[in-house]
Amino acid sequence: MNRFTLQFIFRLLLGAALVYAGTGHLTFLRSEFQAQVPQWLPMNTDLVVILSGVVEIVLGLSLLVGGKYKQTVGWITALFFIAVFPGNIAQYLNGVDAFGLDTDQARLIRLFFQPVLVVWALWSTGILTKKIN
């Protein structure tokens, strides 16, 4: 399987995951996402969850469609993952249980996956062109 096919598959997987997560923000995972909103954020918690859910759905659909703007969408998706990272840090620092992360160790391990998502967004949209063997 060549790099372009792998990138295509991974871009579709990331897009589908974002659409799923965004839908969860708006429906069945809403309280879980609310638990991750940092207390210091000067916005209504539910509004943050709704807005981030809409952004995730739009980004996910954009990744699924691809097109000539896929690299721009890759950058925006990577920046989105960076922007929401403080929520993951707050979840760890405040010991908030959400998404089955009910221990400090589980919450800490999750922090290491956010950079993976950033790289995934960049690589799957062709921004990072390093060949994977």
Side-chain angles (χ1 to χ4, degrees), residues 72-130:
T72 301
V73 173
W75 277 114
I76 295 168
T77 303
L79 291 172
F80 175 78
F81 287 139
I82 293 167
V84 300
F85 191 53
N88 298 346
I89 294 170
Q91 181 183 12
Y92 170 70
L93 293 176
N94 298 321
V96 175
D97 294 347
F99 301 105
L101 303 172
D102 55 3
T103 66
D104 286 340
Q105 181 181 11
R107 288 184 285 269
L108 178 64
I109 290 170
R110 180 174 188 245
L111 294 178
F112 292 99
F113 285 99
Q114 204 72 9
V116 172
L117 290 173
V118 171
V119 171
W120 186 349
L122 296 174
W123 180 79
S124 69
T125 56
I127 295 165
L128 302 178
T129 56
K130 184 176 181 181

Side-chain angles (χ1 to χ4, degrees), residues 15-44:
L18 282 169
V19 170
Y20 174 81
T23 303
H25 274 75
L26 305 178
T27 57
F28 61 99
L29 294 173
R30 198 163 182 161
S31 63
E32 298 286 322
F33 282 109
Q34 288 171 346
Q36 287 191 290
V37 177
Q39 302 264 336
W40 51 262
L41 195 64
M43 290 179 66
N44 176 280

